[in-house]
Amino acid sequence: MDIPSPSGQAKTSALDAAMAATLAAYKPPEKQALPALPPDPKPIVFRDKREAMEALQDLRRDKNVPSSANWETALNMIKRDPRWETLSKLSEKKQAFNSYKITKQKEEKEETRLSAIKNKEDLEQFLMSTDRMSSTMKYYKCEEIFSDLPLWKSVPELERREIFSDVVHNLAKKEKEIAKSLRRKNMTRLAEILDKMTKIDFQTTWEQAQQMLLDNPAFADDDELLAMDKEDALITFEDHIRELEKEEQSEKEKEKS
Protein backbone atom coordinates (compact mmCIF):
# COMPACT_ATOMS: atom_id res chain seq x y z
CA MET A 1 0.00 0.00 0.00
CA ASP A 2 1.24 3.44 -0.96
CA ILE A 3 1.81 5.84 1.88
CA PRO A 4 0.82 9.46 0.98
CA SER A 5 3.61 11.93 1.14
CA PRO A 6 3.46 14.83 3.63
CA SER A 7 3.03 17.38 0.80
CA GLY A 8 0.02 15.48 -0.57
CA GLN A 9 -1.61 15.43 2.85
CA ALA A 10 -1.14 19.19 3.15
CA LYS A 11 -2.84 19.84 -0.22
CA THR A 12 -5.82 17.63 0.74
CA SER A 13 -6.23 19.38 4.07
CA ALA A 14 -6.18 22.83 2.38
CA LEU A 15 -8.82 21.76 -0.20
CA ASP A 16 -11.08 20.38 2.52
CA ALA A 17 -10.75 23.56 4.51
CA ALA A 18 -11.67 25.71 1.46
CA MET A 19 -14.77 23.61 0.70
CA ALA A 20 -15.85 23.78 4.33
CA ALA A 21 -15.52 27.59 4.29
CA THR A 22 -17.54 27.84 1.07
CA LEU A 23 -20.31 25.66 2.47
CA ALA A 24 -20.40 27.69 5.65
CA ALA A 25 -20.77 30.99 3.70
CA TYR A 26 -23.49 29.66 1.38
CA LYS A 27 -27.06 30.69 2.21
CA PRO A 28 -29.86 29.08 0.29
CA PRO A 29 -32.28 31.60 -1.33
CA GLU A 30 -35.24 32.46 0.80
CA LYS A 31 -38.57 31.24 -0.44
CA GLN A 32 -40.73 34.12 -1.63
CA ALA A 33 -44.14 34.19 -0.08
CA LEU A 34 -47.01 33.93 -2.53
CA PRO A 35 -49.32 36.98 -2.63
CA ALA A 36 -52.35 36.61 -0.47
CA LEU A 37 -55.55 36.00 -2.33
CA PRO A 38 -58.14 38.76 -1.94
CA PRO A 39 -60.90 37.84 0.45
CA ASP A 40 -64.17 36.80 -1.04
CA PRO A 41 -66.40 39.84 -1.46
CA LYS A 42 -68.99 40.11 1.23
CA PRO A 43 -72.51 39.74 -0.05
CA ILE A 44 -74.36 43.04 -0.42
CA VAL A 45 -77.23 43.26 2.01
CA PHE A 46 -80.09 45.72 1.67
CA ARG A 47 -82.71 46.65 4.19
CA ASP A 48 -85.67 45.84 1.97
CA LYS A 49 -86.77 44.99 -1.54
CA ARG A 50 -87.16 48.64 -2.49
CA GLU A 51 -83.54 49.44 -1.65
CA ALA A 52 -82.39 46.37 -3.58
CA MET A 53 -84.47 47.48 -6.57
CA GLU A 54 -82.87 50.95 -6.48
CA ALA A 55 -79.39 49.39 -6.33
CA LEU A 56 -80.18 47.36 -9.42
CA GLN A 57 -81.38 50.47 -11.23
CA ASP A 58 -78.20 52.32 -10.19
CA LEU A 59 -76.21 49.43 -11.61
CA ARG A 60 -77.89 49.86 -14.99
CA ARG A 61 -77.22 53.59 -14.93
CA ASP A 62 -73.57 53.02 -14.00
CA LYS A 63 -73.20 50.63 -16.94
CA ASN A 64 -75.10 53.12 -19.13
CA VAL A 65 -77.61 50.55 -20.33
CA PRO A 66 -79.63 52.32 -23.08
CA SER A 67 -83.42 52.30 -23.12
CA SER A 68 -83.31 50.49 -26.46
CA ALA A 69 -81.45 47.48 -24.99
CA ASN A 70 -83.30 44.19 -24.81
CA TRP A 71 -83.12 41.81 -21.85
CA GLU A 72 -80.19 39.75 -23.21
CA THR A 73 -78.10 42.83 -24.07
CA ALA A 74 -78.70 44.43 -20.68
CA LEU A 75 -77.93 41.15 -18.91
CA ASN A 76 -74.53 40.86 -20.62
CA MET A 77 -73.68 44.39 -19.53
CA ILE A 78 -74.45 43.99 -15.82
CA LYS A 79 -74.45 40.31 -14.78
CA ARG A 80 -70.82 40.33 -13.56
CA ASP A 81 -71.53 43.02 -10.99
CA PRO A 82 -72.36 41.83 -7.43
CA ARG A 83 -75.40 44.11 -7.37
CA TRP A 84 -77.00 41.90 -9.99
CA GLU A 85 -77.72 39.36 -7.23
CA THR A 86 -79.60 41.84 -5.03
CA LEU A 87 -82.87 40.40 -6.29
CA SER A 88 -83.10 36.64 -6.29
CA LYS A 89 -86.21 36.15 -8.39
CA LEU A 90 -85.93 36.44 -12.16
CA SER A 91 -89.43 37.94 -12.32
CA GLU A 92 -88.35 40.73 -9.96
CA LYS A 93 -85.25 41.39 -12.02
CA LYS A 94 -87.30 41.67 -15.20
CA GLN A 95 -89.78 43.92 -13.45
CA ALA A 96 -86.92 46.20 -12.39
CA PHE A 97 -85.56 46.12 -15.95
CA ASN A 98 -88.88 47.21 -17.48
CA SER A 99 -89.19 49.99 -14.91
CA TYR A 100 -85.66 51.14 -15.72
CA LYS A 101 -86.42 51.22 -19.47
CA ILE A 102 -89.44 53.49 -18.95
CA THR A 103 -87.46 55.87 -16.75
CA LYS A 104 -84.45 55.81 -19.09
CA GLN A 105 -86.63 56.61 -22.11
CA LYS A 106 -87.97 59.70 -20.33
CA GLU A 107 -84.44 60.76 -19.37
CA GLU A 108 -83.11 60.28 -22.91
CA LYS A 109 -86.05 62.20 -24.34
CA GLU A 110 -85.39 65.09 -21.97
CA GLU A 111 -81.66 65.00 -22.77
CA THR A 112 -82.48 65.16 -26.47
CA ARG A 113 -84.80 68.11 -25.92
CA LEU A 114 -82.24 70.03 -23.85
CA SER A 115 -79.50 69.22 -26.37
CA ALA A 116 -81.64 70.59 -29.21
CA ILE A 117 -82.27 73.79 -27.27
CA LYS A 118 -78.56 74.19 -26.55
CA ASN A 119 -77.65 73.57 -30.20
CA LYS A 120 -80.04 76.30 -31.32
CA GLU A 121 -78.73 78.73 -28.70
CA ASP A 122 -75.12 77.97 -29.64
CA LEU A 123 -75.84 78.46 -33.35
CA GLU A 124 -77.57 81.77 -32.75
CA GLN A 125 -74.74 82.98 -30.53
CA PHE A 126 -72.18 81.92 -33.13
CA LEU A 127 -73.95 83.72 -35.99
CA MET A 128 -74.34 86.83 -33.86
CA SER A 129 -70.64 86.91 -32.97
CA THR A 130 -68.83 85.84 -36.15
CA ASP A 131 -67.49 88.63 -38.34
CA ARG A 132 -68.44 86.58 -41.42
CA MET A 133 -72.12 87.33 -40.80
CA SER A 134 -73.98 90.57 -41.51
CA SER A 135 -77.55 91.83 -41.58
CA THR A 136 -77.53 91.97 -45.39
CA MET A 137 -76.51 88.33 -45.94
CA LYS A 138 -78.95 85.98 -47.63
CA TYR A 139 -79.73 82.51 -46.26
CA TYR A 140 -78.29 80.63 -49.22
CA LYS A 141 -75.00 82.48 -48.81
CA CYS A 142 -74.95 81.77 -45.10
CA GLU A 143 -75.46 78.08 -45.83
CA GLU A 144 -72.59 78.07 -48.32
CA ILE A 145 -70.24 79.50 -45.71
CA PHE A 146 -71.26 77.46 -42.66
CA SER A 147 -72.73 74.23 -44.06
CA ASP A 148 -69.65 72.18 -43.10
CA LEU A 149 -69.73 73.23 -39.45
CA PRO A 150 -71.02 70.55 -37.04
CA LEU A 151 -72.90 73.29 -35.19
CA TRP A 152 -74.78 74.19 -38.38
CA LYS A 153 -75.64 70.56 -39.10
CA SER A 154 -76.84 69.94 -35.55
CA VAL A 155 -79.93 72.12 -36.09
CA PRO A 156 -82.71 71.08 -38.52
CA GLU A 157 -83.11 73.32 -41.56
CA LEU A 158 -86.51 74.75 -40.61
CA GLU A 159 -85.17 75.85 -37.25
CA ARG A 160 -81.95 77.09 -38.87
CA ARG A 161 -83.99 79.39 -41.08
CA GLU A 162 -85.86 80.75 -38.07
CA ILE A 163 -82.60 81.36 -36.24
CA PHE A 164 -81.11 83.01 -39.34
CA SER A 165 -84.10 85.35 -39.59
CA ASP A 166 -83.78 86.34 -35.93
CA VAL A 167 -80.03 86.86 -36.27
CA VAL A 168 -80.42 89.09 -39.33
CA HIS A 169 -83.02 91.17 -37.48
CA ASN A 170 -80.87 91.46 -34.35
CA LEU A 171 -77.73 92.23 -36.34
CA ALA A 172 -79.54 95.03 -38.15
CA LYS A 173 -80.50 96.56 -34.80
CA LYS A 174 -76.98 96.07 -33.49
CA GLU A 175 -75.39 97.63 -36.57
CA LYS A 176 -77.79 100.54 -36.33
CA GLU A 177 -76.84 101.15 -32.71
CA ILE A 178 -73.15 100.92 -33.54
CA ALA A 179 -73.58 103.41 -36.39
CA LYS A 180 -75.54 105.73 -34.12
CA SER A 181 -72.85 105.54 -31.44
CA LEU A 182 -70.11 106.17 -33.99
CA ARG A 183 -72.05 109.11 -35.39
CA ARG A 184 -72.28 110.75 -31.95
CA LYS A 185 -68.61 110.01 -31.31
CA ASN A 186 -67.51 111.60 -34.61
CA MET A 187 -69.64 114.71 -34.14
CA THR A 188 -68.27 115.19 -30.62
CA ARG A 189 -64.71 114.64 -31.80
CA LEU A 190 -65.11 117.08 -34.72
CA ALA A 191 -66.59 119.74 -32.42
CA GLU A 192 -63.55 119.40 -30.13
CA ILE A 193 -61.17 119.83 -33.07
CA LEU A 194 -63.04 122.89 -34.34
CA ASP A 195 -62.89 124.48 -30.87
CA LYS A 196 -59.10 124.26 -30.99
CA MET A 197 -58.77 125.74 -34.51
CA THR A 198 -58.37 129.42 -33.70
CA LYS A 199 -58.15 130.38 -37.37
CA ILE A 200 -61.82 129.57 -37.82
CA ASP A 201 -64.10 132.50 -36.94
CA PHE A 202 -67.78 133.29 -37.36
CA GLN A 203 -67.21 134.34 -40.98
CA THR A 204 -65.42 131.14 -42.09
CA THR A 205 -67.32 129.23 -44.77
CA TRP A 206 -67.81 125.48 -44.84
CA GLU A 207 -65.63 125.18 -47.95
CA GLN A 208 -62.82 127.04 -46.19
CA ALA A 209 -63.24 124.98 -43.04
CA GLN A 210 -63.01 121.70 -44.97
CA GLN A 211 -59.62 122.60 -46.38
CA MET A 212 -58.40 123.74 -42.97
CA LEU A 213 -59.54 120.43 -41.47
CA LEU A 214 -57.67 118.45 -44.12
CA ASP A 215 -54.55 120.38 -43.16
CA ASN A 216 -55.09 119.51 -39.49
CA PRO A 217 -53.46 116.16 -38.52
CA ALA A 218 -56.00 115.61 -35.71
CA PHE A 219 -58.68 115.35 -38.39
CA ALA A 220 -56.73 114.12 -41.42
CA ASP A 221 -55.16 111.16 -39.56
CA ASP A 222 -58.46 109.92 -38.14
CA ASP A 223 -60.04 107.40 -40.53
CA GLU A 224 -63.38 107.47 -38.73
CA LEU A 225 -63.61 111.26 -39.05
CA LEU A 226 -62.64 111.13 -42.71
CA ALA A 227 -65.42 108.61 -43.33
CA MET A 228 -68.09 110.39 -41.26
CA ASP A 229 -71.34 111.42 -42.84
CA LYS A 230 -70.92 114.77 -44.66
CA GLU A 231 -74.25 116.03 -43.40
CA ASP A 232 -73.24 115.29 -39.80
CA ALA A 233 -69.96 117.16 -40.36
CA LEU A 234 -71.84 120.16 -41.80
CA ILE A 235 -74.30 120.20 -38.87
CA THR A 236 -71.39 120.12 -36.41
CA PHE A 237 -69.67 122.96 -38.25
CA GLU A 238 -72.84 125.08 -38.34
CA ASP A 239 -73.36 124.58 -34.60
CA HIS A 240 -69.79 125.72 -34.05
CA ILE A 241 -70.28 128.84 -36.20
CA ARG A 242 -73.45 129.75 -34.30
CA GLU A 243 -71.50 129.59 -31.05
CA LEU A 244 -68.80 131.82 -32.56
CA GLU A 245 -71.49 134.28 -33.72
CA LYS A 246 -72.92 134.43 -30.19
CA GLU A 247 -69.48 135.11 -28.80
CA GLU A 248 -68.91 137.83 -31.42
CA GLN A 249 -72.26 139.44 -30.62
CA SER A 250 -71.50 139.30 -26.91
CA GLU A 251 -68.14 141.03 -27.42
CA LYS A 252 -69.78 143.81 -29.44
CA GLU A 253 -72.37 144.39 -26.73
CA LYS A 254 -69.62 144.63 -24.15
CA GLU A 255 -67.82 147.25 -26.28
CA LYS A 256 -71.00 149.36 -26.53
CA SER A 257 -71.67 149.35 -22.81
Side-chain angles (χ1 to χ4, degrees):
M1 182 176 61
D2 295 335
I3 299 174
S5 64
S7 61
Q9 290 179 344
K11 289 181 179 179
T12 300
S13 298
L15 180 60
D16 291 341
M19 291 181 65
T22 301
L23 290 173
Y26 173 74
K27 291 183 179 180
E30 296 180 359
K31 293 183 178 180
Q32 294 183 350
L34 295 175
L37 295 176
D40 293 335
K42 294 181 179 180
I44 303 175
V45 180
F46 297 98
R47 290 175 298 180
D48 50 33
K49 180 180 175 180
R50 179 180 177 182
E51 189 176 82
M53 187 84 73
E54 291 175 351
L56 195 55
Q57 305 300 50
D58 289 341
L59 167 59
R60 291 188 172 94
R61 289 192 182 89
D62 293 345
K63 299 299 184 180
N64 199 24
V65 177
S67 64
S68 59
N70 58 27
W71 171 255
E72 289 74 16
T73 301
L75 182 59
N76 288 331
M77 295 176 70
I78 66 176
K79 64 183 180 181
R80 293 179 180 83
D81 193 288
R83 286 172 289 179
W84 168 242
E85 301 299 336
T86 57
L87 294 174
S88 58
K89 295 181 180 179
L90 181 61
S91 60
E92 292 178 343
K93 291 179 178 180
K94 287 192 173 182
Q95 179 186 352
F97 174 67
N98 291 330
S99 175
Y100 168 81
K101 286 191 68 171
I102 294 172
T103 302
K104 187 65 174 177
Q105 285 171 355
K106 292 179 180 179
E107 292 174 354
E108 290 173 350
K109 186 176 181 180
E110 180 64 9
E111 289 172 1
T112 300
R113 186 184 72 85
L114 295 177
S115 178
I117 292 174
K118 185 177 186 303
N119 288 339
K120 290 193 290 185
E121 291 175 347
D122 290 347
L123 179 59
E124 182 173 3
Q125 183 178 2
F126 169 74
L127 293 177
M128 283 294 297
S129 60
T130 179
D131 56 6
R132 302 172 70 186
M133 185 72 188
S134 71
S135 63
T136 58
M137 184 177 290
K138 302 298 182 183
Y139 179 81
Y140 79 89
K141 188 64 177 178
C142 185
E143 190 166 36
E144 288 178 2
I145 297 174
F146 304 119
S147 60
D148 290 336
L149 293 179
L151 184 58
W152 180 267
K153 296 177 182 178
S154 68
V155 178
E157 182 178 3
L158 181 61
E159 295 174 352
R160 279 202 309 262
R161 287 183 177 273
E162 293 175 353
I163 292 172
F164 171 81
S165 179
D166 290 342
V167 167
V168 167
H169 176 72
N170 291 332
L171 281 178
K173 289 173 60 178
K174 182 179 179 181
E175 291 166 2
K176 186 176 181 180
E177 286 298 319
I178 292 175
K180 186 177 180 180
S181 176
L182 180 59
R183 179 186 177 191
R184 289 195 298 264
K185 175 185 173 184
N186 285 339
M187 293 179 76
T188 300
R189 179 65 180 140
L190 178 58
E192 292 172 350
I193 292 174
L194 291 172
D195 284 340
K196 296 177 181 178
M197 296 176 65
T198 56
K199 292 184 178 180
I200 294 180
D201 58 27
F202 71 97
Q203 294 179 321
T204 302
T205 65
W206 174 230
E207 288 74 21
Q208 293 171 333
Q210 289 183 79
Q211 185 57 53
M212 295 168 70
L213 285 168
L214 292 174
D215 293 336
N216 187 329
F219 180 88
D221 295 341
D222 192 318
D223 293 336
E224 290 181 347
L225 286 177
L226 290 172
M228 75 179 292
D229 185 82
K230 302 304 179 186
E231 184 176 351
D232 289 343
L234 177 58
I235 291 172
T236 304
F237 171 75
E238 290 176 343
D239 288 344
H240 180 68
I241 292 299
R242 278 193 287 271
E243 290 298 319
L244 292 178
E245 288 174 343
K246 289 179 183 179
E247 293 176 4
E248 179 67 17
Q249 186 63 30
S250 177
E251 288 297 325
K252 288 182 178 180
E253 290 178 356
K254 287 181 181 179
E255 291 176 359
K256 288 180 181 179
S257 59

